[in-house]
Amino acid sequence: MMVRTFAMTALAFVVAGSAARAADPRYPNWPCAQAKVPDISLAAVWAGPPLDDAENKWKDDSKVSALVSKLAARKTPLDEAEKSVKEFLAASADKTTNAKLLFAGLFDTLNAQRAQVMSGLERVSRKQRDAADRIREETIELQALQDATPRDDAKVDTMSNQLIWDTRIFEDRRKVVRFVCEVPTTIDQRLFALGRVIQQEME
């Protein structure tokens, strides 16, 4: 009786967990409650002068590219990143050029990070869909084994353990996805904050 109850609970859980997916039909594999915005718009985060060729040249400046790597890393606290921006631009002979190079590098790098995270989320979402289908099939198979006459208790135990394991993996992934769904927004906020500091330092 307890195994049957677990099977029904597992099935209900998976169905409930799958129902919230794909709120936007344009992105059927997008698993987050947050709307999917594929790219950060430059106009949304930069009100400074046109970046011109800075978008292609920032990688050629070793100091700029090294600083971009540090600023883009989420392990670097935002206040520390903002301080580094101010110190770098204060010491620049051509503040405007270096400011544009720095922002162009951040825009490129953080957009790439964001795209990578979003691609990973959709990949996990596809795995979750497959896992949900598998759990449904295992639940039906387990119920059939429980109702069989004569009943094979060894097979019931094996299938029950498999169902418990697959449901646990499904739930663990669901928790990870919920956490990672916050990352694109965090990247957006970081780019906006650093872009604002760069623009302020140019004035």
Side-chain angles (χ1 to χ4, degrees):
M1 182 65 182
M2 188 171 73
V3 174
R4 179 180 291 275
T5 301
F6 172 78
M8 295 308 296
T9 302
L11 182 59
F13 167 77
V14 170
V15 170
S18 303
R21 188 178 54 231
D24 188 333
R26 293 175 300 170
Y27 309 113
N29 292 313
W30 182 243
C32 305
Q34 300 90 329
K36 180 181 179 182
V37 180
D39 298 295
I40 306 173
S41 162
L42 179 62
V45 291
W46 180 252
L51 296 180
D52 301 322
D53 58 356
E55 295 179 71
N56 301 316
K57 289 188 173 182
W58 69 269
K59 290 181 182 177
D60 299 332
D61 188 311
S62 58
K63 288 184 178 179
V64 169
S65 56
L67 183 56
V68 165
S69 295
K70 176 185 175 182
L71 300 178
R74 292 193 294 280
K75 66 181 181 181
T76 304
L78 187 55
D79 56 349
E80 180 183 327
E82 291 175 343
K83 182 181 177 184
S84 295
V85 168
K86 293 175 183 178
E87 290 173 349
F88 173 73
L89 293 179
S92 298
D94 187 344
K95 187 179 287 189
T96 298
T97 296
N98 280 322
K100 292 197 292 184
L101 288 171
L102 185 58
F103 183 77
L106 282 170
F107 186 75
D108 261 9
T109 303
L110 289 175
N111 242 331
Q113 278 186 19
R114 191 174 178 279
Q116 186 176 32
V117 169
M118 295 172 84
S119 175
L121 281 165
E122 292 187 317
R123 188 165 56 250
V124 172
S125 176
R126 288 191 290 271
K127 287 183 179 179
Q128 286 292 80
R129 182 177 298 160
D130 292 342
D133 291 341
R134 186 166 59 253
I135 289 170
R136 289 188 187 96
E137 290 169 3
E138 289 171 355
T139 301
I140 293 169
E141 185 176 346
L142 177 57
Q143 289 172 337
L145 287 170
Q146 290 169 331
D147 294 338
T149 304
R151 171 171 157 151
D152 187 333
D153 287 335
K155 285 186 178 181
V156 168
D157 288 345
T158 298
M159 181 54 64
S160 176
N161 289 334
Q162 184 64 47
L163 183 57
I164 290 169
W165 178 251
D166 288 342
T167 304
R168 183 176 299 157
I169 291 173
F170 185 92
E171 168 62 359
D172 288 346
R173 277 192 191 144
R174 192 173 70 88
K175 289 177 180 176
V176 170
V177 165
R178 195 164 57 227
F179 172 76
V180 178
C181 278
E182 301 293 336
V183 174
T185 300
T186 301
I187 292 174
D188 292 352
Q189 293 169 343
R190 188 177 193 86
L191 181 57
F192 179 79
L194 293 175
R196 182 177 56 197
V197 171
I198 291 171
Q199 290 170 82
Q200 288 171 346
E201 293 302 303
M202 290 175 65
E203 295 173 358

